[in-house]
Structures are given as C-alpha cells and as structure tokens.
Amino acid sequence: MPPETHAVTTAGRPAAQDVIHNIGYRNYDGPRLGRGYARRSLFSQSLRGAYGLGRSAKSKVLPMTLFAVMCLPAAIVVAVAVTTKMNRLPMEYTRYAIYLQAVIGLYIAAQAPQSVSRDLRFKTVPLYFSRPIERADYVLAKFAAMASALFVLTATPLLILYAGALLAKLDFADQTKGFAQGLVSVALLSLLFAGIGLVVAALTPRRGFGVAAVIAVLTISYGAVSTLQGIALDNDNTDAIGWLGLFSPITLIDGVQTAFLSAGTAFPGGHGPGTGAGVVYLLAVLALIAGSYGLLMRRYRKAGL
C-alpha cells in the first residue's frame, strides 16, 4: 500500500485515497495476435537459436562448423562428378545421412539441451508474452523448430548433390526421383532424432548432462545393434539382422528407406528388411515420433509448465 498522503483539496478537506489518476499511459487499440503468433515467435526464436543466430559468436561456432562438415562431402562429390564427367553420382541421396550420422548425432546432442534444458532449469524463455501460452504451444514450437533445424542440416547437402548432378548433365528424371526420396528419408530422420533428442534433454535439465545423455543414447544403441547384427551374420542368421535394426534410431531410418525408397542398405551383408518388415519399421518410427511428443507433454506437465 502507498504511504498515506496529507494532500488537501481547495475546499480544505483531505484528498480521497481511492481516486484513479491518469498518468499518461495510452490504451492499445491494435490487433490481438493470439496463440498462433506466440507459437510462431517461439518456433522462429528456437530455430534461429539452433544455429546460434541472435546469440553470441561463441554459440555459432559449433552448429555452423557441423553444418559445414555436413555440406563439404557433397561439394567434393559434385566437384568430382563435374570434372570427371561421371554418368552417375558416386553416392545415393538416401545414403548421405547414414554415412554422416555421427555429425547429425553431435548436432542434436549439442542443440537439443540448448533448446529445452535452460528453460526447464530456470523456468524462463527469452521471449516476453503478453499472456501465458499453453503447454501444447510450447512443446509443438520446440519440436517443430528442432526438427526443422535438423532438416536444414540434412537436406542442404542433398540439394548440393542435386544441383551438381544437373550441372553434370545427369539424367533429370533419375536425379529428381533420387532427390525426392532423399528428402523423404531425411524428413523422417529429422522428426525422429528431434523427438528423441528433446525427450532426453528434457529429462536432464543441466545442459552438460543432456549433451552426454543424447550422445550415449544414439551411440550405444547403434553400436549394440551393429554388433549383434554382425554376430547374426557370422552365425548365418540373416533373418535376425533385419529385426535387430528396430532397436536403433539410425537403423530404423535405414530400414524404412530400404523397404520403401529403393535405397541400398548398410545392414551387414546387405540383408535389409523387405516390404513386410518395412511396414513394421515405418510403424515403429511413427510410434517413436508420436511417443516423443507425448513424453514431452508429460514432462512439462510434471514440471508445472
């Protein structure tokens, strides 16, 4: 309460204490942009932050370096294809992300905790909202931003390959088909890795622990699956090779594109899943994406956001 005043009116009576004074603030008569604009603002801020834009120069070093590392092999392949006049690219569009999975893993490990860990730890975001946003708005914006950042990381090299193939005057129809298949593959990969990375990071509010946890989940699962697939191949148990691929994110993507996108497989001995098993792979990918979103909603409900 303000201290009691002793102002006196012209009539000699004390001034009323319940008077509303006009101190010059103006009313806002513009449009009310609503929740949709808040979601878009949070999405834009999170997407920019995933590449260090709007942050310090130090924050830009790692994401921009990883982006350059992702694009460099594509540029080299294009240069070789154009100068030697190859009749086909030495690398399939659908195989590019599989070859560079380590770079993708490092990127999501670094940026997923940056996106959500500090918000959970300090209960703040770098934006000011005129009214509270819903939990679903926050989760959707963060999920979409991280998936979009990964899609930029993985699709840009494919665009470089496609442009180089056209410059080398390779068959337009074949290259366009391969490019489209590659985009579908990296779109699924982006959604899957974004969901897994954000869930792991949200469970570990300290950023350093989040980075280590994401790397561990992606690396250990792939290493374990690859080892077991190798053992199965040595024992001539080729049927088990395809089913073991269900237990690692990157082998899930490999299995889906092998079954439906005419891609070569990285599974030992080339024993990728057929169409029947591919349906199981696709359902597993979609279930993990939806499950990641559900777990994020539950995590933020538990955190009281």
Side-chain angles (χ1 to χ4, degrees):
M1 295 293 292
E4 184 178 356
T5 61
H6 299 282
V8 179
T9 64
T10 56
R13 295 187 300 272
Q17 299 301 309
D18 57 355
V19 175
I20 298 176
H21 298 278
N22 183 357
I23 58 177
Y25 290 116
R26 294 184 297 175
N27 294 328
Y28 176 72
D29 297 322
R32 302 290 178 176
L33 300 177
R35 289 172 55 190
Y37 186 80
R39 281 195 301 268
R40 290 193 297 273
S41 298
L42 185 58
F43 167 81
S44 175
Q45 183 270 332
S46 300
L47 178 57
R48 287 167 51 83
Y51 285 95
L53 304 178
R55 300 166 61 202
S56 64
K58 181 180 178 181
S59 300
K60 297 178 176 65
V61 173
L62 182 59
M64 291 301 181
T65 300
L66 292 176
F67 181 79
V69 171
M70 279 293 294
C71 294
L72 182 60
I76 294 174
V77 168
V78 166
V80 171
V82 171
T83 55
T84 60
K85 297 181 180 180
M86 293 182 173
N87 56 9
R88 61 186 294 272
L89 290 176
M91 181 183 297
E92 296 178 8
Y93 293 97
T94 49
R95 301 285 297 142
Y96 195 91
I98 305 297
Y99 286 135
L100 293 174
Q101 59 177 293
V103 180
I104 301 171
L106 285 175
Y107 180 86
I108 189 64
Q111 298 310 313
Q114 182 276 136
S115 182
V116 297
S117 294
R118 289 183 300 177
D119 295 356
L120 276 168
R121 186 179 178 188
F122 300 110
K123 300 292 193 298
T124 58
V125 294
L127 296 174
Y128 178 81
F129 299 107
S130 60
R131 64 188 66 187
I133 60 173
E134 299 291 335
R135 183 184 304 113
D137 297 330
Y138 180 89
V139 172
L140 181 62
K142 288 292 184 177
F143 200 124
M146 185 52 60
S148 298
L150 279 171
F151 185 74
V152 170
L153 181 76
T154 53
T156 302
L158 302 187
L159 182 60
I160 294 173
L161 287 176
Y162 182 61
L166 296 184
L167 286 174
K169 298 181 180 179
L170 302 183
D171 185 77
F172 177 80
D174 288 344
Q175 296 305 315
T176 301
K177 179 182 178 181
F179 178 57
Q181 291 172 336
L183 289 181
V184 172
S185 175
V186 297
L188 280 175
L189 182 148
S190 299
L191 289 169
L192 179 61
F193 275 51
I196 294 173
L198 289 175
V199 167
V200 174
L203 295 174
T204 53
R206 290 189 176 274
R207 184 178 177 184
F209 293 152
V211 172
V214 174
I215 291 176
V217 169
L218 297 178
T219 304
I220 293 175
S221 62
Y222 176 70
V225 167
S226 297
T227 300
L228 292 174
Q229 286 178 327
I231 294 173
L233 180 64
D234 291 339
N235 292 316
D236 294 325
N237 190 358
T238 56
D239 291 337
I241 294 175
W243 295 114
L244 286 168
L246 291 168
F247 299 98
S248 166
I250 195 66
T251 53
L252 274 173
I253 298 300
D254 191 312
V256 170
Q257 65 183 24
T258 299
F260 299 111
L261 299 176
S262 303
T265 183
F267 287 6
H271 297 288
T275 303
V279 173
V280 179
Y281 271 73
L282 180 59
L283 291 176
V285 170
L286 297 178
L288 280 173
I289 294 170
S292 298
Y293 180 83
L295 288 174
L296 282 173
M297 289 290 291
R298 182 179 178 181
R299 176 68 179 94
Y300 282 99
R301 186 183 300 112
K302 185 178 180 180
L305 299 180

